[in-house]
Amino acid sequence: MDNTQGKRITMAHGAGGQKTSELIGEIFKKYFDNPHFTKDDAAVLARPEGRIAMSTDGFIVSPAFFPGGNIGELAVSGTVNDLSCMGAEPLYLTCSFIIEEGFLISDLEKIAESMADAAKEAGIEIVAGDTKVAGHGQADGVFITTAGVGVIRDGFAPSGTQAKPGDAVLVTGDIGRHGCAILLTREEEFGISADVKSDVAPLWNLVSAVRDSGAAVHTIRDATRGGVGTVLYEISEESNVGIRLDQTKIPVDPGVAGVCGMLGLDPLYLANEGRLVIFCPKEETDTVLDALRSRKNGEGAAVIGEVTDLNPGIVTLKTEIGSETILPKPGGELLPRIC
């Protein structure tokens, strides 16, 4: 990266001329190159057998670099995980960059390298993209939009409409770390420091493990901006069921718990970028947990509650002292630009 140190993005990098070609060749092609990567107007790809899933997402996280990751890893992981939650094996990804004039080229290279690493981990190919440069002050460093395509194997199609009374509710690890990590980058605003890193990760490896286990899984959802609490309310309404949680079983990192205690926050409503919520019949619980715990990012998988036919559309929480309360419905945005 030595040849990029100190150099910054200029308007010429977005003008379509020599500087644009250099940027594509020296950074994007360097890290994204694969047999399908193209400089043409569109990638030409083989048609997969079976149904396809497609998703797109925009990423404007601030700051672009945070404890445990950066916007590039986040951009790939976010779309990979959206596809994965539909039971779709991720195949192809496109990406669009809006880069602010003056952004360090060395930082852009770090972002591209992280995207390449996340794509390799997920088994997805970055096949096409676009770059635009915004004037100084017109963007916040760099914004990335990704779109992905995956293929769904017959017989495995989880959905938010399929949760059923008697299902167990699982999470794939401790919750709230991404939102907490972003919050801690604003130490001057909150005056708090803690050793908390984002959980950002592509999670197809977990979904494929569950799929290959043969367990009947009804619902898979990644608990991003609104956290686990928001996801549970969405599913309870989509499936017209009640959900009962046990507070003592919800895994929370001690650092996250400490920050939440000091600021009066609930980790159930802090963002995650590497955690899934899974609904499966109770008799399948051990099979699903074994599958998750056998893979990276699933070692801390746990059962946190159950689905009931009482109080459809409502999520309740059994507290540490044994009382039961209604979990508040999600309100306004807690932290801006966390994904």
Side-chain angles (χ1 to χ4, degrees):
M1 295 186 188
D2 290 344
N3 63 326
T4 67
Q5 291 301 317
K7 296 182 179 180
R8 295 182 181 272
I9 293 293
T10 68
M11 296 301 291
H13 285 106
Q18 181 63 30
K19 287 290 186 181
T20 302
S21 294
E22 290 175 4
L23 192 67
I24 292 171
E26 294 175 8
I27 293 184
F28 298 131
K29 189 176 189 299
K30 174 182 177 181
Y31 290 103
F32 299 167
D33 197 28
N34 61 71
H36 294 108
F37 183 80
T38 183
K39 291 178 67 175
D40 289 330
D41 288 342
V44 178
L45 309 168
R47 183 175 61 190
E49 294 295 329
R51 293 177 299 144
I52 64 170
M54 184 173 183
S55 182
T56 188
D57 207 345
F59 301 86
I60 57 173
V61 63
S62 181
F65 293 85
F66 47 82
N70 63 55
I71 191 173
E73 183 180 3
L74 182 63
V76 172
S77 298
T79 294
V80 163
N81 294 345
D82 285 345
L83 294 172
S84 300
C85 287
M86 300 306 297
E89 178 179 357
L91 298 177
Y92 306 116
L93 191 80
T94 65
C95 56
S96 172
F97 290 80
I98 297 177
I99 312 168
E100 185 179 14
E101 181 185 14
F103 193 74
L104 281 169
I105 294 178
S106 58
D107 282 349
L108 182 63
E109 185 163 7
K110 292 173 187 175
I111 288 168
E113 184 175 15
S114 294
M115 292 178 73
D117 290 343
K120 182 178 180 180
E121 182 177 347
I124 196 169
E125 292 182 338
I126 299 173
V127 297
D130 182 56
T131 303
K132 296 290 187 296
V133 176
H136 184 70
Q138 294 180 333
D140 187 6
V142 60
F143 299 158
I144 304 175
T145 297
T146 51
V149 173
V151 63
I152 299 174
R153 180 188 295 179
D154 287 344
F156 188 74
S159 167
T161 64
Q162 295 178 5
K164 295 175 173 57
D167 280 356
V169 180
L170 291 71
V171 291
T172 55
D174 62 278
I175 66 170
R177 275 204 281 135
H178 181 71
C180 188
I182 298 298
L183 182 151
L184 290 170
T185 65
R186 300 162 195 179
E187 186 176 348
E188 71 286 349
E189 181 178 349
F190 296 100
I192 297 174
S193 62
D195 185 18
V196 177
K197 294 182 178 180
S198 171
D199 58 358
V200 59
L203 300 175
W204 169 244
N205 67 318
L206 296 184
V207 176
S208 63
V210 171
R211 180 196 65 181
D212 295 345
S213 75
V217 173
H218 294 152
T219 302
I220 304 177
R221 190 70 61 84
D222 57 334
T224 53
R225 269 180 297 186
V228 171
T230 298
V231 162
L232 294 177
Y233 261 106
E234 289 173 352
I235 295 169
S236 69
E237 292 170 358
E238 289 177 40
S239 293
N240 196 35
V241 295
I243 297 174
R244 181 185 295 129
L245 302 180
D246 186 335
Q247 189 173 37
T248 64
K249 295 181 179 180
I250 300 172
V252 181
D253 177 83
V256 174
V259 171
C260 287
M262 285 186 281
L263 296 179
L265 303 175
D266 188 337
L268 282 166
Y269 291 109
L270 287 181
N272 310 271
E273 290 294 345
R275 295 291 180 257
L276 301 174
V277 176
I278 299 176
F279 288 59
C280 68
K282 286 183 180 178
E283 60 270 21
E284 303 276 19
T285 301
D286 288 344
T287 300
V288 174
L289 285 175
D290 287 345
L292 293 171
R293 290 169 178 170
S294 70
R295 300 290 180 92
K296 178 183 176 182
N297 297 312
E299 301 91 341
V303 177
I304 64 169
E306 62 181 353
V307 179
T308 79
D309 55 7
L310 302 175
N311 305 313
I314 299 296
V315 181
T316 62
L317 181 71
K318 180 182 177 183
T319 68
E320 293 177 343
I321 62 173
S323 62
E324 189 164 0
T325 184
I326 294 176
L327 192 71
K329 287 194 174 184
E333 186 72 27
L334 173 64
L335 296 171
R337 296 191 177 180
I338 49 80
C339 66

